[in-house]
Amino acid sequence: MEGAMEGAMLADAKIRTESGTESGPRGSGCSLRHFACEQNLLSRPDGSASFLQGDTSVLAGVYGPAEVKVSKEIFNKATLEVILRPKIGLPGVAEKSRERLIRNTCEAVVLGTLHPRTSITVVLQVVSNAGSLLACCLNASCMALVDAGVPMRALFCGVTCALNSDGTLVLDPTAKQEKEARAVLTFALDSVERKLLMSTTKGLYSDAELQQCLAAAQAASQHVFRFYRESLQRRYSKS
Amino acid sequence: MKETPLSNCERRFLLRAIEEKKRLDGRQTYDYRNIKISFGTDYGCCIVELGKTRVLGQVSCELVSPKLNRATEGILFFNLELSQMAAPAFEPGRQSDLLVKLNRLLERCLRNSKCIDTESLCVVAGEKVWQIRVDLHLLNHDGNIIDAASIAAIVALCHFRRPDVSVQGDEITLYTPEERDPVPLSIHHLPICVSFAFFQQGTYLLVDPNEREERVMDGLLVIAMNKHREICTIQSSGGIMLLKDQVLRCSKIAGVKVLEITELIQKALENDQKVRKEGGKFGFAESIASQRITAFKMEKAPIDTSDVEEKAEEIIAEAEPPSEVVSNPVLWTPGTAQIGEGLENSWGDLEDSAKEEEDEDGTDGAVILGSTKMDAGVEVSNIGSQDAPIVLSDSEEEEMIILEPDKNPKKIRTQTISAKQEKAPSKKPVKKRKKKKAAN
């Protein structure tokens, strides 16, 4: 999938090079907002986590592996379901699209074949949205899956990059930065090979910019994974 | 997922304990669980924890035209959602009896008690009023949803600030928070629900039942009251007969509890306001108890992105150049052309959505362009805008099939069908559908 997408990007770039957006990002000035995570804060789900990135906050609950409806049963693997609930109103198309992206990411890492004919349900609740919501949802679902003890091939994290009109790159943008940006790209990366699991983009960018964003996301993912590691170390520490 | 049933011995154990004036969590009969109120960074956002029951409340507002019979009153709207996160038995998108009951009770407690001055929400009589929407999400269900939800709703309403408006003639100006400070709602009193669970046909009573106790109770009495000891709503469910003095006793207890809770709410609101005023840190990040080992925080982390440019260049340099999609376009009939390989084109037949996936493969390569323009790099989506006559009719579709007979025997068949169809173009739509079924 990755390869196919890349191919398409390159073809696209051919047309767009004329418009001339090759200014390139500045190296410095990129940072992630402060992170906070609390696991196991809900009593009913098997695993839960609340993840905060700056003012963006998402709460995730995981049920599973559990009983599955016969209609949804898959005979050789677990049925993975993701439910994303907005804060205001009923879930719409945007939520459905995010649900799908998150589900596809989770499916890539969760070892569903170890629990055939069961269901794994991830329920996400947006608590506050101040930019990079999808990345925060991904991080919250990963921490909740870890808390639930669902077997996974690797951990995953979400990183959002925004490209401004002058070509500067912003990592983990706030809502305002997202709004002003020319393009917003969200990547999901795995912890073992740092490879791309999912990518979704909005706006116009060149192939060089895509690769730059991806490289920046990979650099940022190291910090996120370190955060994961340290918070889990703290959690399973004896003191 | 189904609810785990409560076993008989569990049920008997709980009832026996209640008979002996003992509760599983060590509380006394009239004890409330701990209440914790935390606020988000947005106005009108709060999380209320009642023991392990957790409710997220968010208030939002919108300018709408008022109801015809109430031209000068704003609209209040309450919506409690039982998310699957709260308990596995809650199914998403289903209006269960419990949900309907809770929503009705909440409306009666907060709207019908007239705790919010709806007239102050009017901007232009008969034309524009504020609609205040209160969204409540149950995050964790450990019993007594209604109390937690009513506290969350009133706290969120107290915390909420709506944008300031001004009316000059016919013009309504809405001010952003930067221009003018948003204004709070005018709230007359704070109605709060207090639940009482009855056991053994009303012999035993417990305040603030948790989830286990709710499952063995016979009846429930909910009293909504404000701190002036005015009853806003009262509801008895479960079909138990209560004596007059039992109800009176409950209302007395409710009065005490409501006073305590109101004080707590006011203190929490004051605290938040103080922190906001002083420019300190607020929001959910601050309410995470950092001494817990399950919680972890990391400060703002700089990321070194100085080498991304080189990395990107490297990858692009290593990557294969974009493949030329096709060298020679094939001209089928004047005005149409085919570039690349692919399955049949499906442009123009929208009625067959089941074939969507199959078609996607086809559109990758099979780009049909006007005979004058044959630029391989142009996107598929550009085709529609070109002036050259592009026939997206059914007939073209039949001719679109690629000829590689030795590789794909299936294609030969479709081609022969299409050849037949060319002879009788008038019957095409019917035949086409048949053909598709055969191809499937």
Side-chain angles (χ1 to χ4, degrees):
Chain A
M1 185 192 125
E2 204 182 328
M5 205 187 66
E6 233 162 67
M9 292 302 164
L10 292 173
D12 268 13
K14 224 180 170 185
I15 323 157
R16 282 172 192 155
T17 34
E18 295 143 36
S19 57
T21 46
E22 293 294 301
S23 47
R26 270 178 307 160
S28 58
C30 274
S31 67
L32 297 173
R33 292 176 286 177
H34 65 265
F35 277 33
C37 173
E38 187 177 357
Q39 281 186 312
N40 206 4
L41 69 165
L42 304 179
S43 67
R44 294 299 294 269
D46 297 315
S48 57
S50 124
F51 205 94
L52 290 104
Q53 275 175 246
D55 289 334
T56 306
S57 166
V58 174
L59 187 65
V62 171
Y63 288 99
E67 179 193 349
V68 64
K69 269 192 199 154
V70 182
S71 58
K72 286 181 184 165
E73 188 181 283
I74 305 173
F75 73 93
N76 61 354
K77 62 172 184 176
T79 309
L80 199 76
E81 247 187 298
V82 174
I83 300 165
L84 177 61
R85 305 204 59 98
K87 200 166 150 194
I88 297 166
L90 297 168
V93 179
E95 277 74 28
K96 289 281 160 221
S97 138
R98 286 202 184 108
E99 273 176 14
R100 206 184 160 82
L101 292 168
I102 298 163
R103 200 195 63 202
N104 288 348
T105 312
C106 293
E107 242 164 25
V109 290
V110 169
L111 297 169
T113 40
L114 292 181
H115 301 283
R117 301 172 64 203
T118 59
S119 78
I120 296 169
T121 313
V122 183
V123 192
L124 295 156
Q125 171 73 54
V126 178
V127 178
S128 63
N129 181 7
S132 318
L133 183 66
L134 183 59
C136 193
C137 287
L138 285 162
N139 293 337
S141 38
C142 181
M143 286 310 256
L145 282 165
V146 168
D147 186 40
V150 174
M152 289 196 277
R153 190 169 57 80
L155 299 181
F156 61 93
C157 77
V159 181
T160 301
C161 302
L163 283 167
N164 287 333
S165 45
D166 59 344
T168 50
L169 195 151
V170 181
L171 276 169
D172 198 15
T174 60
K176 194 168 160 246
Q177 285 169 326
E178 263 183 5
K179 218 176 182 180
E180 288 165 355
R182 167 165 54 96
V184 178
L185 305 93
T186 304
F187 305 103
L189 300 151
D190 80 298
S191 64
V192 177
E193 289 168 309
R194 300 281 145 83
K195 286 260 172 77
L196 190 65
L197 292 170
M198 184 275 294
S199 101
T200 177
T201 64
K202 200 177 125 191
L204 217 64
Y205 51 87
S206 68
D207 58 340
E209 282 170 328
L210 172 74
Q211 294 297 346
Q212 283 164 1
C213 286
L214 193 55
Q218 274 171 332
S221 76
Q222 293 195 352
H223 280 259
V224 184
F225 290 128
R226 207 179 61 207
F227 173 77
Y228 281 2
R229 182 167 289 277
E230 282 173 19
S231 66
L232 289 172
Q233 253 169 9
R234 179 179 158 93
R235 178 154 177 217
Y236 293 107
S237 63
K238 279 181 181 169
S239 54
Chain B
M1 230 164 96
K2 279 180 212 135
E3 185 89 53
T4 332
L6 200 66
S7 64
N8 282 340
C9 54
E10 251 179 308
R11 182 181 297 272
R12 273 200 298 271
F13 171 76
L14 281 164
L15 286 171
R16 178 79 69 79
I18 289 162
E19 274 170 37
E20 290 173 17
K21 305 264 179 222
K22 281 176 190 150
R23 290 175 88 166
L24 213 56
D25 43 15
R27 282 185 287 161
Q28 295 296 312
T29 319
Y30 301 139
D31 282 358
Y32 236 78
R33 285 172 289 179
N34 280 338
I35 299 173
K36 190 184 160 201
I37 300 168
S38 41
F39 296 99
T41 40
D42 310 339
Y43 279 122
C45 178
C46 70
I47 287 182
V48 170
E49 289 167 57
L50 176 65
K52 280 176 185 160
T53 300
R54 207 182 266 248
V55 177
L56 167 72
Q58 170 71 55
V59 180
S60 49
C61 65
E62 198 184 348
L63 274 176
V64 293
S65 41
K67 287 176 185 165
L68 288 173
N69 51 348
R70 291 181 197 279
T72 60
E73 282 181 26
I75 301 165
L76 269 175
F77 185 78
F78 295 94
N79 182 37
L80 173 66
E81 296 265 351
L82 301 179
S83 157
Q84 210 190 358
M85 192 189 287
F90 294 146
E91 275 176 48
R94 227 180 106 242
Q95 285 272 326
S96 63
D97 291 346
L98 176 72
L99 182 57
V100 174
K101 194 186 108 178
L102 291 170
N103 265 319
R104 277 290 302 136
L105 194 55
L106 210 63
E107 276 187 11
R108 271 173 35 201
C109 166
L110 290 156
R111 188 197 286 151
N112 301 2
S113 69
K114 307 232 187 291
C115 64
I116 289 163
D117 183 12
T118 45
E119 296 225 330
S120 72
L121 296 173
C122 177
V123 181
V124 179
E127 276 179 37
K128 278 277 173 283
V129 294
W130 284 109
Q131 184 189 46
I132 305 291
R133 185 191 168 99
V134 185
D135 280 281
L136 298 162
H137 299 273
L138 183 66
L139 304 176
N140 198 41
H141 175 32
D142 193 34
N144 208 358
I145 301 168
I146 188 66
D147 289 16
S150 84
I151 297 170
I154 200 72
V155 170
L157 283 166
C158 288
H159 190 247
F160 183 65
R161 302 281 185 277
R162 66 171 169 83
D164 201 2
V165 281
S166 73
V167 184
Q168 277 175 334
D170 290 340
E171 212 173 297
I172 303 169
T173 330
L174 205 70
Y175 296 100
T176 57
E178 288 82 31
E179 287 167 341
R180 272 196 201 179
D181 278 342
V183 286
L185 305 173
S186 75
I187 293 166
H188 297 311
H189 58 97
L190 312 179
I192 288 156
C193 290
V194 178
S195 304
F196 300 90
F198 289 94
F199 303 86
Q200 311 281 359
Q201 297 307 312
T203 328
Y204 301 100
L205 171 150
L206 290 182
V207 176
D208 182 25
N210 65 22
E211 200 252 344
R212 283 290 145 93
E213 288 161 351
E214 272 185 356
R215 285 169 82 164
V216 297
M217 73 186 175
D218 289 329
L220 186 74
L221 179 73
V222 181
I223 299 178
M225 205 186 251
N226 61 24
K227 67 171 181 185
H228 312 298
R229 303 178 68 87
E230 292 165 330
I231 291 177
C232 300
T233 191
I234 186 161
Q235 173 176 300
S236 162
S237 56
I240 44 151
M241 317 285 183
L242 292 174
L243 296 169
K244 195 170 71 184
D245 57 315
Q246 262 178 322
V247 178
L248 281 174
R249 189 155 61 110
C250 285
S251 71
K252 256 181 213 154
I253 301 165
V256 177
K257 295 292 164 203
V258 165
L259 210 63
E260 284 173 18
I261 296 166
T262 312
E263 257 169 43
L264 188 87
I265 290 172
Q266 268 156 359
K267 215 189 281 169
L269 283 166
E270 270 165 30
N271 265 349
D272 183 70
Q273 218 157 24
K274 209 171 91 186
V275 172
R276 272 169 203 265
K277 219 179 215 171
E278 287 167 2
K281 283 182 181 173
F282 53 90
F284 292 122
E286 297 315 302
S287 55
I288 286 184
S290 48
Q291 67 275 13
R292 275 194 207 154
I293 62 163
T294 51
F296 188 69
K297 282 182 197 176
M298 183 177 78
E299 282 310 305
K300 206 171 159 177
I303 305 287
D304 180 27
T305 50
S306 49
D307 61 336
V308 290
E309 233 162 302
E310 291 91 75
K311 260 192 198 169
E313 269 164 30
E314 232 171 76
I315 290 169
I316 291 166
E318 277 173 26
E320 286 172 33
S323 59
E324 292 296 319
V325 181
V326 92
S327 41
N328 357 312
V330 191
L331 206 69
W332 292 106
T333 50
T336 61
Q338 157 130 25
I339 298 170
E341 303 169 20
L343 299 172
E344 58 193 292
N345 186 295
S346 66
W347 282 54
D349 65 89
L350 295 165
E351 82 277 4
D352 204 347
S353 57
K355 271 177 73 78
E356 239 172 50
E357 279 182 35
E358 199 179 312
D359 293 338
E360 266 171 26
D361 304 340
T363 45
D364 277 345
V367 183
I368 315 149
L369 299 171
S371 54
T372 48
K373 296 189 181 180
M374 285 164 192
D375 182 4
V378 180
E379 281 177 287
V380 184
S381 57
N382 289 351
I383 300 164
S385 61
Q386 284 179 9
D387 304 319
I390 303 151
V391 191
L392 296 174
S393 69
D394 292 333
S395 67
E396 174 212 297
E397 195 174 303
E398 312 311 339
E399 287 151 11
M400 256 283 310
I401 288 132
I402 294 123
L403 302 170
E404 272 185 334
D406 44 336
K407 277 184 190 166
N408 198 341
K410 192 176 148 193
K411 280 180 184 167
I412 305 175
R413 207 183 53 201
T414 48
Q415 195 223 348
T416 49
I417 294 166
S418 73
K420 272 181 207 162
Q421 282 175 349
E422 265 169 288
K423 284 171 194 165
S426 58
K427 288 178 187 172
K428 217 159 253 174
V430 187
K431 278 196 173 177
K432 192 199 102 203
R433 206 161 287 153
K434 274 187 192 163
K435 184 214 83 185
K436 282 207 165 156
K437 277 192 185 132
N440 283 339

